[in-house]
Amino acid sequence: MAIQIKTLDQLKLMRRAGLVVGETLEILREAIKPGVTTNHLNEIAVKNLKVNKAKPNFLNYHGYPAVICASVNDEIVHGIPNDRPIKDGDIVSIDFGAIIEGWHGDAAFSVIAGTVDPEDQKLLDTCEQSMWEGIAAGKVGAKLTDISYAIEKYIHSQGHYGILREYGGHGIGTEMHQEPHVLNFGAAGLGPELKVGMALAIEPMITRGSAKTKVLDDEWTVVSQDGSRGAHFENSFALLEDAKPFVLTSLDGGKEKLGALGIEISNLI
Ligand code: MF3
Ligand code: CO
């Protein structure tokens, strides 16, 4: 299957889905505190989907049982919400998606609850900025792995972090996961050329230790094998007809973070 090319009208629907995702993630970020359970966070997301007349894309995805993923500390991604209260100093990673009129949005962030360990904060900042570096490299006419290379290069410039190898970003549109798979590491200049109308979810996942992971018996939760803490950030972006990007799941479309990297965002959406 080829990479799905979206029209401007379709990307506008993806923006609506992306805004539901971005706004819900902001509400969840505010709610994350020591003592709160990740099941409570899931409930907040369920309510916000209803308010926005949006559908969940995670729920029942290959049998997944919630509308968010909530991964704590050495859990890096795909953690299932539960009734364990978040503890002071925990790293909490929330991944969330929504569907509007058949079009998907998907994004994630990590945050520290309560007392901040500076090394944990550096892990999060490195992961987040690598996502923006990846998106900034996703220009019309560039090659897919220019994104991968930019992500890895930035992460390695910041210290010794493990970059997960089994998981990566993806095309997004009428399904949450489409072609192409977007690695978070590797040589530049390979893969398909990036074209107007493509939409990609960029999602680096890193640890303070080794990149080796295992999946828990719940068949979802991805943890680091060495117990090191992880971070995960994700945004979905598209390339518009003016050859400029727009970050569909970011409240400001990526204006601030891409602007800081010298990239102007599209004003077509
Ligand atoms: N949002 C995840 C991703 O970024 C997928 C979540 S898996 C699910 O690709 F089962 F929770 F949906
Ligand atoms: Co994703």
Side-chain angles (χ1 to χ4, degrees):
M1 247 261 308
I3 300 173
Q4 186 178 48
I5 299 293
K6 287 84 172 169
T7 65
L8 181 58
D9 283 345
Q10 292 170 338
L11 289 174
K12 285 182 175 167
L13 291 172
M14 286 187 73
R15 171 58 168 166
R16 283 180 52 203
L19 271 181
V20 172
V21 175
E23 288 170 5
T24 305
L25 287 179
E26 279 313 306
I27 293 168
L28 294 174
R29 182 192 291 277
E30 293 305 313
I32 293 173
K33 290 182 180 65
V36 169
T37 69
T38 50
N39 265 343
H40 177 67
L41 300 175
N42 188 69
E43 276 314 305
I44 292 175
V46 167
K47 284 190 191 128
N48 218 45
L49 282 166
K50 278 211 187 83
V51 167
N52 287 286
K53 298 187 171 53
K55 290 197 191 115
N57 41 16
F58 291 15
L59 185 66
N60 298 326
Y61 180 83
H62 296 283
Y64 187 74
V67 305
I68 66 169
C69 298
S71 312
V72 177
N73 296 337
D74 62 321
E75 301 170 353
I76 309 161
V77 287
H78 300 171
I80 300 172
N82 59 49
D83 280 323
R84 289 194 301 273
I86 292 166
K87 297 186 304 301
D88 186 49
D90 278 353
I91 296 177
V92 182
S93 299
I94 303 292
D95 192 343
F96 175 64
I99 311 172
I100 293 272
E101 293 186 31
W103 294 91
H104 290 245
D106 184 13
F109 70 92
S110 300
V111 70
I112 300 168
T115 311
V116 172
D117 172 321
E119 291 301 318
D120 282 345
Q121 189 61 52
K122 174 97 191 284
L123 170 83
L124 270 52
D125 293 346
T126 299
C127 188
E128 179 172 22
Q129 186 59 24
S130 76
M131 171 191 69
W132 290 110
E133 301 278 341
I135 294 170
K139 297 183 168 126
V140 172
K143 294 291 180 70
L144 180 70
T145 72
D146 292 344
I147 297 174
S148 315
Y149 176 76
I151 292 169
E152 179 177 34
K153 186 171 158 222
Y154 181 78
I155 293 166
H156 285 157
S157 78
Q158 297 303 303
H160 286 283
Y161 296 107
I163 305 177
L164 269 58
R165 304 187 86 76
E166 301 92 341
Y167 306 90
H170 48 92
I172 181 165
T174 48
E175 298 89 27
M176 173 166 60
H177 289 148
Q178 297 184 329
E179 282 183 39
H181 183 63
V182 188
L183 293 172
N184 291 314
F185 58 89
L190 303 173
E193 184 179 315
L194 301 178
K195 297 202 166 91
V196 167
M198 289 183 179
L200 300 173
I202 303 302
E203 48 179 321
M205 291 151 260
I206 64 175
T207 75
R208 283 179 59 181
S210 138
K212 288 196 182 143
T213 60
K214 62 181 182 200
V215 178
L216 296 185
D217 286 342
D218 63 18
E219 291 180 0
W220 283 101
T221 312
V222 176
V223 299
S224 61
Q225 282 189 18
D226 63 3
S228 60
R229 292 177 157 211
H232 176 215
F233 282 81
E234 175 175 21
N235 266 315
S236 306
F237 82 104
L239 294 169
L240 280 290
E241 274 150 43
D242 54 4
K244 290 177 187 160
F246 190 91
V247 184
L248 302 159
T249 46
S250 181
L251 297 185
D252 74 350
K255 191 175 185 359
E256 185 194 331
K257 297 290 191 169
L258 291 180
L261 296 172
I263 309 274
E264 208 179 302
I265 64 163
S266 177
N267 57 17
L268 295 177
I269 283 196

